Amino acid sequence: METTKDRNELPQVSENTDESPAEESEQENTAARDREHDQSQWNMERNWGFSLKEIYELALKFFKEMNGKAFNPTYEENLRLVALHKQVSLGPYNPSAFPEVGFFDVQGNDRRKEWAKLGSMAKEDAMEDFVMLLNSCCSQFSPYVTSHKIEKEEQERRVREEEERLQAKREEEERQKQEEARLLKEEEERRKQEAEQLLILEQKKQIMAALNAQTAIQFQQYAQQQFPNSPEQQQLLVQQLQEQHYQQYIQQAYQVQQMALQRQQDSAETLDAQLPASHSNNLVSVRDPSNHSELSQSQKQEANPKPCRLFIEGKPGDMAILAPSMWTRPQIKDFKEKMAQDAESVITVGRGEVLTVRVPTHEEGTYLFWEFATDHYDIGFGLYFEWPNTRNGTSADTVEPISENQDAGQNEEEIGNTKKSQTGSSCSHVNEVVPIYRRDSHEEVYAGSHQYPGQGVYLLKFDNSYSLWRSKVVYYRVYYTR
């Protein structure tokens, strides 16, 4: 029994093996037909401007309406066209599915035979053959298709124009909405400004009322002395005095606020000076006092105070010096290339050395400007102002770098004393404008300006005392402006 079972199974395995190539062949044929159909579809659309289905429907309509009227195909062409139509609508001919026609129905038998000749022709191929045959046997078919193509393009054009019109309408509506929103926003801002102006006017009235209550008698007596016989002129003068008093009050309040701001800035600079050198590379700049004022802009404009300037405080007896403006710019490569063309604009600060560049004030100048950069490493920088009575009453009249070497073996106390003597902090005739601290001048150009406090000599100090192994190459430029 086991042998019989094995024999029955062997043919089954062989049959499954034989069917596999047939299935693969069928899949390949199907793929080939799909490619041919896609190519045929593309050719139809390129030649006729319609898809295969659309051109076939036009051809079928033309055949039904014009056969025997606009054109007369031959008997064989007519049989072929009918057979292709049946192949498309009903599929391949199947004798069992359709009843037999009579023996004497010659045309019916001829149509059956022609249909049967098509075999298993695909529907798409039958549609293409129908169109091509109709076009070959009737010269009027091509103009017929062309007229329908023009009509189709016209419809598409109208649809496209309608879509564009609707799109333009939507865009116009959106633009109107945005314009309305903009106008509404402007109206809100205008109302807000009017409210702020009303508030400012109300505050001004309250302040002037308080001030006038204190000065009404004095101003009235002064006006009577000036115009004893003219009450109208007395009233006008009182109003002028009250307005001037209000402006002076606003200006004084503004100056008080600036003094408070200056104290805050001085405290911040003191804190920065106490930080380590690696954390104190922030630039000192003159801030705009108007950004920190609590008064409204309208009050400032009404007060019209003179511009307030920040001052550097020194020891008792020193003259007040305006604070400098300092900034940086990234064009370090161009700057160094330009300065390298002038040998006097390139100096070397040795290791452990402080080099001082003395720049006297110019009789036609009002501002000193400086710029500097270094190669590869940072360097310390500071600015001082020496008054004429320093150095035995004389001052240099040319720009000169002076090296102030420091031995690396000096102790901290000796270095401190040396720097103290260099900066002139022990002399009341030398003012510190910019304290010495390290700048990343190898990454960007450091620049600044300072208004002359008077006639004297500026001391630009390049400090490399903290470096015991490396010298620093400095590219610098100093000039004055009126």
Side-chain angles (χ1 to χ4, degrees), residues 217-229 234 237:
I217 298 176
Q218 294 88 336
F219 289 165
Q220 188 64 36
Q221 292 176 353
Y222 177 79
Q224 290 175 357
Q225 293 176 359
Q226 298 296 324
F227 305 100
N229 300 322
Q234 292 177 10
L237 179 58

Side-chain angles (χ1 to χ4, degrees), residues 69-92:
K69 300 178 182 179
F71 79 104
N72 294 296
T74 63
Y75 182 75
E76 291 77 9
E77 291 173 345
N78 196 16
L79 290 177
R80 182 71 175 178
L81 290 171
V82 173
L84 291 171
H85 170 59
K86 289 184 177 294
Q87 188 77 5
V88 173
S89 58
L90 301 177

Side-chain angles (χ1 to χ4, degrees), residues 264-279:
Q264 293 178 0
Q265 183 178 359
D266 293 342
S267 300
E269 291 178 354
T270 303
L271 181 61
D272 290 341
Q274 294 175 355
L275 293 175
S278 60
H279 298 283

Side-chain angles (χ1 to χ4, degrees), residues 262 309-323 385 387 428 431-433 450-454 458:
Q262 175 63 28
R309 302 293 300 272
L310 301 182
F311 291 89
I312 299 175
E313 296 180 359
K315 294 183 178 180
D318 289 349
M319 297 184 65
I321 297 180
L322 296 174
F385 186 79
W387 297 92
S428 61
N431 290 98
E432 181 184 70
V433 180
H450 186 247
Q451 184 175 354
Y452 286 178
Y458 280 99

Side-chain angles (χ1 to χ4, degrees), residues 277 349-356 372 374 378-382 384 404 406 415 419 422-423 435-439 460-467 470 472 474:
V349 185
R351 57 184 180 86
E353 182 181 50
V354 178
L355 191 146
T356 301
F372 70 91
T374 55
D378 63 352
I379 196 169
F381 174 77
Y384 297 82
E404 302 173 6
Q406 294 183 2
I415 294 175
K419 289 186 176 181
Q422 292 169 356
T423 59
I436 296 178
Y437 58 84
R438 294 168 66 174
R439 323 279 174 155
L460 283 74
K461 291 186 175 291
F462 296 99
D463 186 359
N464 195 32
S465 60
Y466 56 87
S467 179
R470 296 188 180 92
K472 308 294 175 62
V474 181

